[in-house]
């Protein structure tokens, strides 16, 4: 999925939208055990770099995976890049 840059008045964030099929799996597996804002804790892996974070639901049923600067720097990815991410629900 593409790494997207969102700019708002208070800053900018990088996100990857989890594809529909995987978002359905997350919702089905974590229907009861969600955190604040409906978030789900995950371990994400891009290349050989792994980190823990949460994915956040969107109104369209998909989830957003935030990708912080350290992850982008260590994996060499930037806004607009197509990124392959492995997710494991924690």
């Amino acid at each position: 999925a593409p790494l997207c840059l969102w700019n708002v008045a208070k800053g900018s964030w990088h996100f990857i939208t989890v594809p529909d099929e995987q978002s359905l799996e997350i919702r089905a597996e974590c229907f009861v055990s969600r955190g604040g804002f409906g978030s789900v804790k995950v371990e994400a892996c891009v290349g050989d770099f792994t980190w823990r974070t949460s994915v956040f639901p969107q109104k369209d049923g998909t989830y957003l995976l935030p990708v912080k600067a350290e992850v982008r720097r260590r994996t060499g990815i930037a806004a607009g890049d197509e990124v392959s991410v492995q997710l494991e629900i924690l």
Side-chain angles (χ1 to χ4, degrees), residues 19-60:
D20 292 335
E21 185 176 328
Q22 288 76 19
S23 289
L24 282 170
E25 292 175 20
I26 292 170
R27 269 199 319 281
E29 196 166 321
C30 300
F31 184 72
V32 177
S33 61
R34 294 188 219 174
F37 303 104
S39 65
V40 175
K41 291 182 181 188
V42 297
E43 185 172 84
C45 183
V46 173
D48 61 356
F49 186 74
T50 301
W51 74 101
R52 289 186 174 195
T53 188
S54 294
V55 290
F56 298 88
Q58 298 190 92
K59 290 181 181 180
D60 69 359

Side-chain angles (χ1 to χ4, degrees), residues 40-90:
V40 175
K41 291 182 181 188
V42 297
E43 185 172 84
C45 183
V46 173
D48 61 356
F49 186 74
T50 301
W51 74 101
R52 289 186 174 195
T53 188
S54 294
V55 290
F56 298 88
Q58 298 190 92
K59 290 181 181 180
D60 69 359
T62 60
Y63 283 83
L64 289 178
L65 171 70
V67 183
K68 59 186 178 178
E70 176 189 8
V71 174
R72 297 190 312 272
R73 190 171 41 255
R74 297 207 36 200
T75 59
I77 59 175
D81 289 349
E82 284 289 323
V83 181
S84 179
V85 180
Q86 293 181 350
L87 293 178
E88 181 180 335
I89 298 169
L90 299 175

